[in-house]
Amino acid sequence: MTERIDGHTLLISLIATPIRHSLSPTMHNEAFAKLGLDYAYMAFEVGNDELSDAVQGIRALGIRGSNVSMPNKQAIIPYLDELSPAAKLVGAVNTVTNKDGKGHLVGHVTDGTGAMRALKEEGVEVKDQIVTMTGAGGAGTAIAIQAALDGAKELRIFNINDQHYKNAEATVKKINDNTECTATLTDLSNQVAFKQSISESSIYIDATGVGMKPLQEESLINDPEVIRPDLVVFDVVYIPKETKLLKFAREHGAKKTINGLGMMLYQGAEAFKQFTGEDMPVDYIKELLF
Ligand code: NAD
Protein backbone atom coordinates (compact mmCIF):
# COMPACT_ATOMS: atom_id res chain seq x y z
CA MET A 1 0.00 0.00 0.00
CA THR A 2 2.70 2.52 1.01
CA GLU A 3 4.52 1.79 -2.25
CA ARG A 4 1.36 2.35 -4.19
CA ILE A 5 -0.18 5.51 -2.68
CA ASP A 6 1.52 8.82 -3.51
CA GLY A 7 0.60 12.41 -4.28
CA HIS A 8 -1.14 11.44 -7.53
CA THR A 9 -3.38 8.71 -6.14
CA LEU A 10 -7.10 9.30 -6.73
CA LEU A 11 -9.66 8.46 -4.05
CA ILE A 12 -12.89 6.50 -4.35
CA SER A 13 -15.12 6.43 -1.26
CA LEU A 14 -17.87 4.30 0.20
CA ILE A 15 -20.39 6.11 2.39
CA ALA A 16 -22.76 4.11 4.59
CA THR A 17 -23.33 2.98 8.14
CA PRO A 18 -22.70 0.33 9.41
CA ILE A 19 -19.96 -0.33 6.87
CA ARG A 20 -16.90 -1.89 8.48
CA HIS A 21 -18.02 -5.42 7.46
CA SER A 22 -18.11 -4.54 3.74
CA LEU A 23 -16.07 -6.51 1.22
CA SER A 24 -16.08 -3.57 -1.22
CA PRO A 25 -12.85 -1.83 -0.07
CA THR A 26 -10.87 -5.07 -0.38
CA MET A 27 -12.49 -5.92 -3.70
CA HIS A 28 -11.76 -2.52 -5.32
CA ASN A 29 -8.27 -2.03 -3.83
CA GLU A 30 -7.18 -5.52 -4.94
CA ALA A 31 -8.53 -4.82 -8.42
CA PHE A 32 -6.70 -1.43 -8.58
CA ALA A 33 -3.45 -3.10 -7.51
CA LYS A 34 -3.86 -5.98 -9.97
CA LEU A 35 -4.39 -3.57 -12.90
CA GLY A 36 -1.80 -1.05 -11.68
CA LEU A 37 -4.42 1.74 -11.44
CA ASP A 38 -3.51 4.69 -9.24
CA TYR A 39 -6.66 4.74 -7.11
CA ALA A 40 -7.43 3.97 -3.47
CA TYR A 41 -10.86 3.01 -2.09
CA MET A 42 -11.87 3.83 1.48
CA ALA A 43 -14.99 3.31 3.57
CA PHE A 44 -16.43 6.21 5.59
CA GLU A 45 -19.06 5.80 8.28
CA VAL A 46 -21.68 8.27 7.03
CA GLY A 47 -25.38 8.29 7.87
CA ASN A 48 -28.16 10.63 6.74
CA ASP A 49 -27.08 13.35 9.21
CA GLU A 50 -23.58 13.61 7.72
CA LEU A 51 -24.62 13.03 4.12
CA SER A 52 -24.83 16.64 2.93
CA ASP A 53 -21.32 17.41 4.28
CA ALA A 54 -19.99 14.15 2.84
CA VAL A 55 -21.26 14.97 -0.66
CA GLN A 56 -19.80 18.48 -0.40
CA GLY A 57 -16.56 16.79 0.62
CA ILE A 58 -16.62 14.59 -2.49
CA ARG A 59 -16.90 17.72 -4.63
CA ALA A 60 -14.37 19.77 -2.65
CA LEU A 61 -11.73 17.03 -2.55
CA GLY A 62 -12.25 15.88 -6.11
CA ILE A 63 -12.99 12.33 -4.95
CA ARG A 64 -13.48 10.54 -8.27
CA GLY A 65 -16.46 8.47 -7.25
CA SER A 66 -18.26 6.82 -4.39
CA ASN A 67 -20.29 3.80 -3.58
CA VAL A 68 -23.35 4.46 -1.45
CA SER A 69 -25.09 2.00 0.80
CA MET A 70 -27.75 2.02 3.50
CA PRO A 71 -29.10 4.31 4.84
CA ASN A 72 -28.05 6.71 2.06
CA LYS A 73 -29.19 5.06 -1.18
CA GLN A 74 -32.31 7.20 -1.51
CA ALA A 75 -31.34 10.10 0.73
CA ILE A 76 -28.39 11.04 -1.50
CA ILE A 77 -30.53 11.77 -4.57
CA PRO A 78 -31.33 15.45 -3.79
CA TYR A 79 -27.59 16.21 -3.49
CA LEU A 80 -26.69 14.88 -6.95
CA ASP A 81 -26.64 16.70 -10.31
CA GLU A 82 -27.91 13.91 -12.53
CA LEU A 83 -29.29 10.36 -12.38
CA SER A 84 -28.86 7.48 -14.83
CA PRO A 85 -32.16 6.28 -16.36
CA ALA A 86 -32.10 3.10 -14.20
CA ALA A 87 -31.37 5.08 -11.00
CA LYS A 88 -34.25 7.41 -11.84
CA LEU A 89 -36.62 4.47 -12.30
CA VAL A 90 -35.41 2.62 -9.20
CA GLY A 91 -35.30 5.79 -7.08
CA ALA A 92 -32.01 4.75 -5.49
CA VAL A 93 -28.28 5.14 -6.09
CA ASN A 94 -25.38 2.88 -5.11
CA THR A 95 -22.67 4.46 -7.26
CA VAL A 96 -21.76 8.11 -7.80
CA THR A 97 -19.31 9.27 -10.44
CA ASN A 98 -17.42 12.56 -10.42
CA LYS A 99 -15.86 12.68 -13.87
CA ASP A 100 -12.37 14.23 -13.82
CA GLY A 101 -13.11 15.44 -10.28
CA LYS A 102 -15.00 18.45 -11.67
CA GLY A 103 -17.88 18.22 -9.19
CA HIS A 104 -20.72 17.15 -11.51
CA LEU A 105 -22.07 14.14 -9.61
CA VAL A 106 -24.04 11.45 -11.46
CA GLY A 107 -25.92 8.75 -9.57
CA HIS A 108 -26.12 5.19 -10.93
CA VAL A 109 -27.58 1.97 -9.60
CA THR A 110 -25.68 -1.24 -10.31
CA ASP A 111 -27.47 -3.66 -7.92
CA GLY A 112 -30.03 -4.73 -10.52
CA THR A 113 -27.59 -5.16 -13.41
CA GLY A 114 -25.20 -6.90 -10.99
CA ALA A 115 -27.92 -9.38 -10.03
CA MET A 116 -28.85 -10.02 -13.67
CA ARG A 117 -25.22 -10.61 -14.62
CA ALA A 118 -24.82 -13.00 -11.67
CA LEU A 119 -27.80 -14.99 -12.94
CA LYS A 120 -26.44 -14.97 -16.51
CA GLU A 121 -23.05 -16.24 -15.33
CA GLU A 122 -24.97 -19.22 -13.87
CA GLY A 123 -26.73 -19.75 -17.21
CA VAL A 124 -30.02 -18.24 -16.01
CA GLU A 125 -31.89 -15.76 -18.23
CA VAL A 126 -34.91 -13.78 -17.03
CA LYS A 127 -36.04 -12.93 -20.57
CA ASP A 128 -39.55 -14.28 -21.28
CA GLN A 129 -39.68 -15.94 -17.84
CA ILE A 130 -42.21 -15.74 -15.05
CA VAL A 131 -40.35 -14.68 -11.90
CA THR A 132 -41.69 -14.75 -8.34
CA MET A 133 -39.94 -12.43 -5.87
CA THR A 134 -40.12 -11.62 -2.19
CA GLY A 135 -38.79 -8.29 -0.95
CA ALA A 136 -39.29 -4.84 -2.40
CA GLY A 137 -36.81 -2.74 -0.47
CA GLY A 138 -33.59 -1.31 -1.92
CA ALA A 139 -32.24 -4.55 -3.39
CA GLY A 140 -35.65 -5.94 -4.41
CA THR A 141 -36.64 -2.78 -6.27
CA ALA A 142 -33.39 -2.64 -8.24
CA ILE A 143 -33.67 -6.33 -9.15
CA ALA A 144 -37.36 -6.12 -10.09
CA ILE A 145 -36.87 -3.11 -12.35
CA GLN A 146 -33.78 -4.52 -14.06
CA ALA A 147 -35.47 -7.91 -14.58
CA ALA A 148 -38.39 -6.09 -16.21
CA LEU A 149 -36.03 -3.98 -18.37
CA ASP A 150 -34.22 -7.22 -19.37
CA GLY A 151 -37.44 -8.73 -20.70
CA ALA A 152 -38.95 -10.82 -17.90
CA LYS A 153 -42.48 -11.73 -18.97
CA GLU A 154 -44.09 -11.50 -15.54
CA LEU A 155 -42.84 -10.38 -12.16
CA ARG A 156 -44.95 -11.45 -9.24
CA ILE A 157 -43.84 -9.61 -6.13
CA PHE A 158 -44.91 -10.78 -2.67
CA ASN A 159 -44.25 -8.53 0.32
CA ILE A 160 -45.26 -8.47 3.95
CA ASN A 161 -47.57 -5.60 4.83
CA ASP A 162 -44.88 -3.34 6.32
CA GLN A 163 -43.47 0.09 5.46
CA HIS A 164 -42.06 -1.28 2.19
CA TYR A 165 -45.47 -2.27 0.82
CA LYS A 166 -46.18 1.20 -0.60
CA ASN A 167 -42.81 1.19 -2.33
CA ALA A 168 -43.65 -2.21 -3.79
CA GLU A 169 -46.93 -0.76 -5.17
CA ALA A 170 -44.98 2.09 -6.75
CA THR A 171 -42.44 -0.35 -8.24
CA VAL A 172 -45.21 -2.45 -9.80
CA LYS A 173 -46.75 0.68 -11.31
CA LYS A 174 -43.38 1.85 -12.70
CA ILE A 175 -42.79 -1.55 -14.32
CA ASN A 176 -46.27 -1.73 -15.83
CA ASP A 177 -46.06 1.88 -17.09
CA ASN A 178 -42.51 1.72 -18.48
CA THR A 179 -41.78 -1.84 -19.64
CA GLU A 180 -43.38 -4.73 -21.51
CA CYS A 181 -43.30 -6.83 -18.34
CA THR A 182 -46.49 -7.44 -16.32
CA ALA A 183 -45.91 -6.90 -12.61
CA THR A 184 -48.22 -7.74 -9.72
CA LEU A 185 -48.04 -7.32 -5.96
CA THR A 186 -49.61 -9.65 -3.41
CA ASP A 187 -49.44 -9.73 0.39
CA LEU A 188 -47.06 -12.50 1.41
CA SER A 189 -49.59 -13.61 4.03
CA ASN A 190 -51.55 -15.07 1.09
CA GLN A 191 -49.54 -18.29 1.13
CA VAL A 192 -51.85 -20.07 -1.31
CA ALA A 193 -51.18 -17.42 -3.95
CA PHE A 194 -47.45 -17.44 -3.11
CA LYS A 195 -47.11 -21.20 -3.62
CA GLN A 196 -49.27 -21.12 -6.75
CA SER A 197 -47.12 -18.34 -8.18
CA ILE A 198 -43.87 -20.22 -7.59
CA SER A 199 -45.38 -23.34 -9.18
CA GLU A 200 -45.86 -21.27 -12.37
CA SER A 201 -42.43 -19.57 -12.23
CA SER A 202 -39.02 -20.70 -13.43
CA ILE A 203 -37.12 -18.40 -11.05
CA TYR A 204 -37.74 -17.50 -7.40
CA ILE A 205 -35.79 -14.55 -5.99
CA ASP A 206 -35.61 -13.77 -2.28
CA ALA A 207 -34.53 -10.14 -1.80
CA THR A 208 -35.66 -9.80 1.82
CA GLY A 209 -32.52 -10.54 3.83
CA VAL A 210 -34.41 -13.30 5.70
CA GLY A 211 -31.73 -15.97 6.17
CA MET A 212 -29.12 -13.41 7.24
CA LYS A 213 -28.43 -12.49 10.89
CA PRO A 214 -30.56 -12.12 13.01
CA LEU A 215 -32.95 -14.21 10.86
CA GLN A 216 -30.39 -16.88 9.89
CA GLU A 217 -32.67 -19.69 11.15
CA GLU A 218 -35.59 -18.54 8.99
CA SER A 219 -36.69 -19.24 5.43
CA LEU A 220 -39.77 -18.00 3.56
CA ILE A 221 -40.13 -21.42 1.91
CA ASN A 222 -40.50 -24.47 4.13
CA ASP A 223 -42.81 -26.68 2.06
CA PRO A 224 -40.87 -29.27 0.01
CA GLU A 225 -43.64 -29.34 -2.59
CA VAL A 226 -42.76 -25.77 -3.62
CA ILE A 227 -39.30 -26.83 -4.80
CA ARG A 228 -39.22 -28.41 -8.28
CA PRO A 229 -36.33 -29.75 -10.39
CA ASP A 230 -36.88 -26.92 -12.93
CA LEU A 231 -36.93 -24.08 -10.36
CA VAL A 232 -33.95 -21.73 -9.93
CA VAL A 233 -33.71 -20.24 -6.42
CA PHE A 234 -31.70 -17.04 -5.95
CA ASP A 235 -31.11 -15.46 -2.52
CA VAL A 236 -29.44 -12.02 -2.39
CA VAL A 237 -27.83 -12.84 0.97
CA TYR A 238 -24.15 -13.85 0.89
CA ILE A 239 -23.41 -14.20 4.60
CA PRO A 240 -23.95 -17.08 5.18
CA LYS A 241 -23.06 -18.40 1.74
CA GLU A 242 -25.85 -20.94 1.98
CA THR A 243 -28.95 -19.58 3.70
CA LYS A 244 -31.61 -21.84 5.16
CA LEU A 245 -33.65 -21.23 1.99
CA LEU A 246 -30.82 -22.24 -0.35
CA LYS A 247 -30.01 -25.34 1.72
CA PHE A 248 -33.67 -26.36 1.73
CA ALA A 249 -33.98 -25.78 -2.03
CA ARG A 250 -30.76 -27.70 -2.77
CA GLU A 251 -31.76 -30.62 -0.55
CA HIS A 252 -35.17 -30.81 -2.21
CA GLY A 253 -33.77 -30.88 -5.72
CA ALA A 254 -34.05 -27.33 -7.09
CA LYS A 255 -32.44 -26.92 -10.51
CA LYS A 256 -29.94 -24.38 -9.20
CA THR A 257 -29.37 -22.42 -6.01
CA ILE A 258 -27.52 -19.10 -6.25
CA ASN A 259 -26.36 -16.88 -3.37
CA GLY A 260 -25.72 -13.12 -3.34
CA LEU A 261 -21.94 -13.26 -3.85
CA GLY A 262 -22.20 -12.95 -7.64
CA MET A 263 -24.56 -9.98 -7.31
CA MET A 264 -22.11 -8.33 -4.91
CA LEU A 265 -19.19 -8.98 -7.28
CA TYR A 266 -20.89 -7.76 -10.45
CA GLN A 267 -22.51 -4.65 -8.90
CA GLY A 268 -18.95 -3.83 -7.80
CA ALA A 269 -17.50 -4.63 -11.22
CA GLU A 270 -19.94 -2.27 -12.88
CA ALA A 271 -19.18 0.49 -10.38
CA PHE A 272 -15.44 -0.13 -10.99
CA LYS A 273 -16.00 0.37 -14.72
CA GLN A 274 -17.86 3.63 -14.00
CA PHE A 275 -15.04 4.87 -11.74
CA THR A 276 -12.03 3.86 -13.86
CA GLY A 277 -13.25 3.01 -17.36
CA GLU A 278 -11.56 -0.41 -16.93
CA ASP A 279 -12.99 -3.90 -16.49
CA MET A 280 -12.56 -5.35 -13.01
CA PRO A 281 -10.52 -8.59 -13.14
CA VAL A 282 -13.50 -10.55 -11.80
CA ASP A 283 -11.94 -14.04 -11.95
CA TYR A 284 -8.99 -12.82 -9.91
CA ILE A 285 -11.28 -11.13 -7.35
CA LYS A 286 -13.50 -14.23 -7.18
CA GLU A 287 -10.50 -16.41 -6.39
CA LEU A 288 -9.28 -13.97 -3.78
CA LEU A 289 -12.55 -13.28 -1.94
CA PHE A 290 -14.95 -16.17 -2.52
P1 NAD B 1 -34.66 -3.26 2.82
O1 NAD B 1 -34.83 -3.11 4.29
O2 NAD B 1 -34.67 -2.06 1.95
O3 NAD B 1 -35.82 -4.25 2.27
C1 NAD B 1 -36.13 -5.48 2.88
C2 NAD B 1 -37.36 -6.11 2.21
O4 NAD B 1 -37.63 -7.37 2.82
C3 NAD B 1 -38.63 -5.30 2.34
O5 NAD B 1 -39.42 -5.48 1.19
C4 NAD B 1 -39.31 -5.92 3.56
O6 NAD B 1 -40.71 -5.74 3.52
C5 NAD B 1 -38.94 -7.37 3.40
N1 NAD B 1 -38.87 -8.08 4.68
C6 NAD B 1 -38.19 -7.69 5.79
N2 NAD B 1 -38.34 -8.60 6.76
C7 NAD B 1 -39.11 -9.59 6.27
C8 NAD B 1 -39.61 -10.81 6.79
N3 NAD B 1 -39.36 -11.19 8.05
N4 NAD B 1 -40.37 -11.59 6.00
C9 NAD B 1 -40.64 -11.22 4.72
N5 NAD B 1 -40.20 -10.08 4.18
C10 NAD B 1 -39.44 -9.27 4.94
O7 NAD B 1 -33.31 -4.07 2.63
P2 NAD B 1 -32.39 -4.14 1.31
O8 NAD B 1 -31.41 -3.03 1.32
O9 NAD B 1 -33.26 -4.33 0.13
O10 NAD B 1 -31.56 -5.47 1.61
C11 NAD B 1 -32.19 -6.74 1.61
C12 NAD B 1 -31.11 -7.81 1.63
O11 NAD B 1 -30.36 -7.75 0.42
C13 NAD B 1 -30.09 -7.66 2.76
O12 NAD B 1 -29.84 -8.94 3.30
C14 NAD B 1 -28.85 -7.14 2.05
O13 NAD B 1 -27.68 -7.53 2.70
C15 NAD B 1 -28.99 -7.83 0.72
N6 NAD B 1 -28.27 -7.14 -0.38
C16 NAD B 1 -27.39 -7.89 -1.09
C17 NAD B 1 -26.69 -7.31 -2.13
C18 NAD B 1 -25.71 -8.13 -2.91
O14 NAD B 1 -24.91 -7.53 -3.64
N7 NAD B 1 -25.76 -9.43 -2.83
C19 NAD B 1 -26.90 -5.95 -2.46
C20 NAD B 1 -27.84 -5.22 -1.70
C21 NAD B 1 -28.51 -5.84 -0.65
Side-chain angles (χ1 to χ4, degrees):
M1 232 15 182
T2 46
E3 283 162 27
R4 212 167 69 67
I5 293 180
D6 63 18
H8 300 280
T9 306
L10 301 172
L11 182 61
I12 305 290
S13 60
L14 165 60
I15 50 176
T17 184
I19 201 54
R20 297 293 167 215
H21 64 285
S22 173
L23 285 177
S24 292
T26 311
M27 179 166 76
H28 286 273
N29 284 318
E30 292 290 354
F32 296 147
K34 175 78 178 165
L35 298 183
L37 298 174
D38 199 4
Y39 288 88
Y41 185 109
M42 285 195 62
F44 296 95
E45 222 142 40
V46 170
N48 287 173
D49 290 346
E50 300 80 29
L51 190 55
S52 163
D53 288 348
V55 176
Q56 255 182 288
I58 290 173
R59 285 199 179 90
L61 301 175
I63 291 176
R64 288 305 197 268
S66 187
N67 279 132
V68 181
S69 195
M70 296 310 282
N72 302 323
K73 283 183 166 182
Q74 289 159 340
I76 198 166
I77 288 176
Y79 303 116
L80 302 178
D81 301 300
E82 194 182 327
L83 291 181
S84 73
K88 210 177 268 177
L89 212 50
V90 172
V93 158
N94 77 334
T95 302
V96 173
T97 49
N98 180 15
K99 196 161 184 297
D100 302 326
K102 293 203 167 126
H104 182 80
L105 303 187
V106 183
H108 310 261
V109 63
T110 67
D111 287 327
T113 42
M116 293 305 114
R117 182 158 168 210
L119 288 175
K120 264 192 205 125
E121 295 287 329
E122 293 284 341
V124 180
E125 294 281 349
V126 296
K127 190 164 167 43
D128 300 327
Q129 303 302 307
I130 300 178
V131 180
T132 296
M133 277 188 65
T134 41
T141 305
I143 292 171
I145 285 183
Q146 197 58 47
L149 290 172
D150 286 1
K153 184 172 145 202
E154 274 188 51
L155 260 180
R156 300 173 179 180
I157 302 173
F158 288 77
N159 210 85
I160 54 174
N161 198 356
D162 66 354
Q163 76 275 19
H164 294 279
Y165 204 86
K166 274 218 157 345
N167 180 57
E169 283 174 335
T171 300
V172 161
K173 185 169 174 355
K174 280 184 213 168
I175 291 172
N176 289 328
D177 288 352
N178 293 287
T179 76
E180 298 295 309
C181 175
T182 303
T184 56
L185 173 65
T186 309
D187 193 319
L188 184 60
S189 66
N190 186 345
Q191 282 289 305
V192 174
F194 180 52
K195 288 179 187 176
Q196 176 69 26
S197 178
I198 296 179
S199 78
E200 293 163 2
S201 301
S202 52
I203 305 167
Y204 168 65
I205 301 174
D206 186 332
T208 63
V210 171
M212 193 176 84
K213 256 186 186 170
L215 302 176
Q216 69 271 27
E217 294 309 323
E218 290 187 29
S219 165
L220 297 178
I221 296 179
N222 297 292
D223 178 354
E225 281 183 18
V226 173
I227 307 297
R228 311 183 316 270
D230 56 347
L231 181 71
V232 171
V233 179
F234 171 36
D235 193 331
V236 298
V237 171
Y238 55 88
I239 302 172
K241 284 184 183 161
E242 188 174 60
T243 55
K244 195 163 176 226
L245 165 71
L246 292 186
K247 182 168 186 283
F248 186 81
R250 177 177 57 77
E251 288 175 351
H252 291 89
K255 182 177 177 184
K256 223 175 227 309
T257 58
I258 302 169
N259 67 22
L261 274 173
M263 174 177 169
M264 203 274 297
L265 175 68
Y266 293 116
Q267 62 77 28
E270 203 192 312
F272 188 88
K273 179 93 182 177
Q274 298 276 7
F275 297 143
T276 66
E278 304 283 336
D279 290 323
M280 179 184 271
V282 285
D283 290 337
Y284 172 75
I285 295 295
K286 241 192 231 173
E287 224 166 88
L288 215 61
L289 294 185
F290 299 177

